Amino acid sequence: MDVIETFNSERYLQLLQWQGHLAQQRLEQTGKITVIIQDRASFHRSNQVKQYWQRWQQQGLYIFSATILTSNEPY
């Protein structure tokens, strides 16, 4: 399998800007927010991406990082 391109902060930022636009439309039409759960990849936590978090929340897009469960206990 050949890898054509890698995913980085710039590409992730483009994706989230698009999702922010869609989230704003959804919020205006339905009053519902959009939630994205992401892993802890470095580009998810980059300063370039973090500077947009407040704007996205105003658009109705909320982003959370998943935590790794270390217990054998059921959810």
Side-chain angles (χ1 to χ4, degrees):
M1 179 167 98
D2 293 329
V3 176
I4 297 171
E5 293 185 48
T6 59
F7 211 72
N8 56 28
S9 292
E10 185 177 325
R11 292 182 61 107
Y12 186 63
L13 183 58
Q14 290 173 352
L15 172 69
L16 286 184
Q17 286 175 332
W18 172 63
Q19 287 297 313
H21 175 72
L22 295 177
Q24 185 171 14
Q25 288 178 338
R26 182 173 193 239
L27 182 62
E28 290 169 358
Q29 293 172 357
T30 68
K32 295 180 181 180
I33 63 168
T34 300
V35 176
I36 293 178
I37 308 296
Q38 61 188 12
D39 62 18
R40 304 220 10 104
S42 60
F43 56 83
H44 291 159
R45 299 175 282 122
S46 75
N47 289 331
Q48 183 181 12
V49 171
K50 285 181 181 180
Q51 68 183 347
Y52 288 91
W53 284 358
Q54 185 176 5
R55 176 181 174 191
W56 291 327
Q57 287 181 0
Q58 291 170 349
Q59 292 176 309
L61 177 62
Y62 290 81
I63 301 167
F64 298 95
S65 292
T67 5
I68 299 171
L69 297 175
T70 57
S71 171
N72 290 331
E73 297 296 318
Y75 297 84

